[in-house]
Amino acid sequence: MNQPKHTAKPPIVLIHGLWMTPRSWDTWAQRYRDLGHQVVVPGWPGIGDRAPADVRADPSALEGVGILEIVDFYADVIASLPEQPVIMGHSFGGIFTQMLLDRGLGIAGVGVAPGQPAGVLALPFSTLRTGLPVLSNPFRIGKASPISKRHFHYTFGNDLSRAESDLEWEASAVNSSNRVFFEGVLSLPKKKSGITAVDFRKPDRAPLLLVSGGIDHVAPPAIQKAALRKYAQGTALVERVEFPDRTHRLVSQDGWEEIADYALDWSLRHAATRFPQAT
């Protein structure tokens, strides 16, 4: 592992979520590049750098992809960088961010509308509803299911008209890796042994920011509030911030600049308390 160089412009690793590709980060990635950061936005195994329409046309490479395979992949990406990065993840990518910090990676982490790791049992009805199309059919755990335009409107586009949401679906939606969904849910009651387990008391974990969207149906504020209570058992810094009137599309919804700037400023400011050169 590269050690322990930290500069004022650390690299940034952006991790996308379920039903999305790296292109969901296009807004934030360019903004951070314009500020002089190296920004790395790799796609999950099975997605790579393919366009959403190409993934929808042939989602077979996503079939059977699981959580540990994805997290190991991002750990390898981080190991290839010249120095430790700021890690930011959206939705399921926010769970992976927490798992990577738990491995001692990153100088700071941001979960943008993150799901919860093992042991955080909050499961609002809207979250359950977003997962039902996949979770209702366990016989397809090894498959890669599409998300309908109607369901996309509920999960991602609840601030948009149906027509606007359909356009967003065309631009960004891909199939899910069903295994990721099942592994994440089945892990929830297994605080110590679940695939997504983290040590909430880890004293040397990099600073972590949890970002909530006030009208998010997939990972509403109740989930990040519950996670924050778990992290409060330890001494490492974890904070939460909520942006009202924001849906699950925090990274692309109108006003995304405010959140992107807040996330980077918070990361650099608090990383500097551990790595004084990162200011």
Side-chain angles (χ1 to χ4, degrees):
M1 186 65 210
N2 38 74
Q3 294 287 346
K5 177 184 174 186
H6 304 290
T7 64
K9 299 285 186 181
I12 300 171
V13 174
L14 302 177
I15 306 173
H16 65 86
L18 197 73
W19 286 315
M20 291 285 126
T21 75
R23 295 189 179 188
S24 63
W25 282 112
D26 280 354
T27 50
W28 290 35
Q30 189 57 51
R31 193 170 187 86
Y32 293 160
R33 289 185 180 115
D34 290 344
L35 292 172
H37 294 270
Q38 177 189 3
V39 182
V40 183
V41 199
W44 291 10
I47 291 179
D49 59 358
R50 291 191 292 163
D54 294 334
V55 178
R56 291 197 298 268
D58 181 11
S60 59
L62 269 171
E63 294 180 350
V65 171
I67 286 176
L68 288 184
E69 180 181 352
I70 297 170
V71 176
D72 287 345
F73 167 77
Y74 281 102
D76 289 343
V77 169
I78 291 169
S80 71
L81 297 174
E83 60 181 290
Q84 285 284 339
V86 173
I87 306 170
M88 298 184 182
H90 175 235
S91 192
F92 242 101
I95 300 176
F96 304 152
T97 297
Q98 295 172 73
M99 295 171 69
L100 291 164
L101 295 187
D102 194 66
R103 293 186 183 193
L105 301 174
I107 60 171
V110 179
V112 182
Q116 64 268 61
V120 180
L121 300 178
L123 194 60
F125 174 76
S126 68
T127 302
L128 185 62
R129 180 176 170 183
T130 61
L132 274 180
V134 174
L135 296 171
S136 61
N137 190 349
F139 296 104
R140 288 184 55 80
I141 187 172
K143 300 298 183 181
S145 297
I147 180 171
S148 69
K149 291 182 178 179
R150 178 180 180 183
H151 197 54
F152 183 88
H153 188 210
Y154 179 77
T155 55
F156 288 89
N158 51 308
D159 63 315
L160 303 173
S161 68
R162 175 60 188 272
E164 292 170 333
S165 178
D166 286 357
L167 289 175
E168 187 64 31
W169 182 97
E170 294 283 354
S172 60
V174 299
N175 296 47
S176 69
S177 165
N178 294 355
R179 178 171 297 280
V180 168
F181 235 125
F182 279 95
E183 288 180 343
V185 171
L186 293 175
S187 184
L188 290 182
K190 302 174 183 177
K191 178 181 176 181
K192 294 185 177 179
S193 62
I195 288 178
T196 59
V198 299
D199 179 2
F200 294 110
R201 299 174 182 266
K202 184 178 175 62
D204 58 349
R205 182 182 53 249
L208 170 64
L209 176 66
L210 305 174
V211 180
S212 302
I215 56 171
D216 184 348
H217 282 166
V218 180
I223 288 179
Q224 295 89 44
K225 289 178 181 176
L228 187 64
R229 288 194 291 272
K230 288 288 185 181
Y231 280 115
Q233 300 171 6
T235 57
L237 177 65
V238 182
E239 291 184 353
R240 188 185 77 89
V241 62
E242 182 170 332
F243 291 86
D245 302 322
R246 306 302 175 94
T247 71
H248 199 57
R249 295 183 303 109
L250 286 163
V251 297
S252 58
Q253 186 180 358
D254 288 349
W256 60 266
E257 298 93 338
E258 177 187 10
I259 306 174
D261 291 348
Y262 187 100
L264 182 58
D265 176 72
W266 188 96
S267 297
L268 297 180
R269 182 157 36 90
H270 291 292
T273 65
R274 301 180 76 221
F275 310 108
Q277 290 175 297
T279 56

